[in-house]
Amino acid sequence: MSLVLSSRDQKNAVSQNKRAIDVHGAIDLSFVYKDGETGLGRLYYRDPLKVLFPRGDVKTAALVTTGGGLFGGDTYDVDVHFGAHTQALVSAQAAEKVYRSSGPDCKINVNLKIDEEAVVEWLPQETILFEKARFRRTTKVDFAKGAKGLVGEMIVFGRLASGEEVTEGLLREAWEIRNEGKLIWADALHIEGDFQRPLNHISGFGGARAMATAVYIAHDAEALLETARALLHQHEDVRMGASCVNGLLICRWLAKDPYALRKAFGAFWSEFRNRALGRVNRLPRLWHC
């Protein structure tokens, strides 16, 4: 016996199957300061996202993705609240992979709330875009008086070790940073369709296949601008720059070799966290795994 579906039935079947496989992961995490130390306040996660707590020089949370990467239509919502006077670092266990999509976008929404006198880090691993990936990420930070934050992200265009170039797809990397609810910096990179032209053009990425951003949020951000610039100029084959906007220190990296960018980014982060945050001059062990 054979079953023939009408055109409408086929579309409905595809739609139902799509809804069945789309993933909506979530993390809701908070840190609190009590009895002289930082501890866990609230923890909720939904597959495929999980949170581990490895040892570190400060309270450390590692975000883990058990699904192997993002597919078209997947959404991750990550909310982290750093309570007043907390000292914490949040990182990822491994690089995030964004796979080819037949049409739907995948999304990561990051919301970081930093209360008074908290000192925090949001330290990424790479996000690797596969050919024809469609990826949107928005990172929102709201910080209070006296807070300090070092927040970053990295993007790699293609699986270059396998010879894959990203020729088409979508990337929207957006930032919104607020000081006690007031928007003081917004930035968005949007590439859709042909990737090769902006990646190769001299006034675009100039041949780079990896990029990174780090933002230092603190009252002394402008005073550390020259310190940041000195640290940025220690690496060859990586284009780097730093500037201040509305009291924020913003650093950028571009490189043809993603590994060279990772080394430059990691070296800067390690040294800058020591200078700006008073923390040990090293990255967490999971960065080197």
Side-chain angles (χ1 to χ4, degrees):
M1 178 180 177
S2 63
L3 176 64
V4 177
L5 297 178
S6 67
S7 176
R8 176 180 293 180
D9 290 337
Q10 289 176 0
K11 291 180 180 179
N12 288 339
V14 169
S15 177
Q16 291 171 3
N17 182 58
K18 177 183 179 300
R19 286 197 297 271
I21 64 174
D22 282 356
V23 169
H24 190 173
I27 289 175
D28 187 1
L29 169 66
S30 72
F31 297 94
V32 296
Y33 184 79
K34 186 177 181 181
D35 299 328
E37 63 182 20
T38 299
L40 181 64
R42 178 178 64 254
L43 174 61
Y44 167 82
Y45 56 78
R46 181 169 63 232
D47 285 341
L49 298 181
K50 297 183 182 298
V51 185
L52 303 177
F53 296 93
R55 293 181 180 178
D57 61 307
V58 295
K59 187 70 174 180
T60 301
L63 309 187
V64 180
T65 302
T66 61
L70 289 105
F71 297 84
D74 291 353
T75 299
Y76 293 169
D77 290 323
V78 179
D79 293 275
V80 185
H81 182 189
F82 302 92
H85 303 283
T86 55
Q87 299 261 347
L89 179 151
V90 179
S91 187
Q93 184 187 43
E96 188 67 79
K97 302 178 183 66
V98 184
Y99 296 103
R100 173 193 300 254
S101 172
S102 60
D105 302 341
C106 56
K107 302 174 185 177
I108 296 181
N109 303 307
V110 177
N111 290 283
L112 309 177
K113 189 174 187 300
I114 310 174
D115 287 351
E116 297 86 353
E117 305 298 331
V119 181
V120 310
E121 294 171 84
W122 175 265
L123 173 62
Q125 302 263 14
E126 302 92 328
T127 298
I128 303 173
L129 300 183
F130 285 38
E131 165 68 348
K132 296 185 179 179
R134 298 186 62 84
F135 178 60
R136 297 176 181 268
R137 175 167 55 203
T138 301
T139 302
K140 297 181 179 181
V141 185
D142 193 351
F143 68 97
K145 183 178 180 180
K148 288 188 176 184
L150 185 56
V151 182
E153 291 293 356
M154 288 190 288
I155 293 279
V156 175
F157 298 95
R159 294 171 292 173
L160 303 183
S162 302
E164 179 187 76
E165 289 270 0
V166 177
T167 62
E168 60 180 293
L170 176 135
L171 168 65
R172 182 173 177 81
E173 178 82 303
W175 291 80
E176 295 179 13
I177 296 184
R178 290 175 168 81
N179 183 354
E180 297 184 337
K182 180 181 178 181
L183 183 65
I184 61 172
W185 185 63
D187 182 80
L189 168 67
H190 188 101
I191 306 174
E192 187 169 8
D194 178 14
F195 266 61
Q196 289 297 299
R197 184 175 181 183
L199 290 181
N200 293 325
H201 200 283
I202 191 171
S203 63
F205 285 76
R209 292 299 183 268
M211 59 170 284
T213 300
V215 182
Y216 177 56
I217 300 162
H219 68 279
D220 61 349
E222 293 185 354
L224 288 173
L225 175 59
E226 294 307 318
T227 298
R229 285 176 172 169
L231 296 175
L232 289 172
H233 287 97
Q234 295 180 5
H235 301 271
E236 298 180 359
D237 304 321
V238 181
R239 285 178 284 159
M240 298 166 280
S243 60
C244 283
V245 179
N246 284 345
L248 300 175
L249 173 57
I250 302 163
C251 302
R252 307 277 200 182
W253 290 259
L254 286 174
K256 293 182 179 180
D257 180 357
Y259 183 62
L261 182 140
R262 177 183 171 87
K263 288 195 300 181
F265 182 87
F268 170 85
W269 196 287
S270 179
E271 182 69 28
F272 193 79
R273 78 192 298 262
N274 176 257
R275 303 278 189 95
L277 306 181
R279 295 179 174 174
V280 295
N281 186 353
R282 67 169 183 264
L283 297 172
R285 286 185 298 173
L286 60 85
W287 175 271
H288 304 289
C289 295

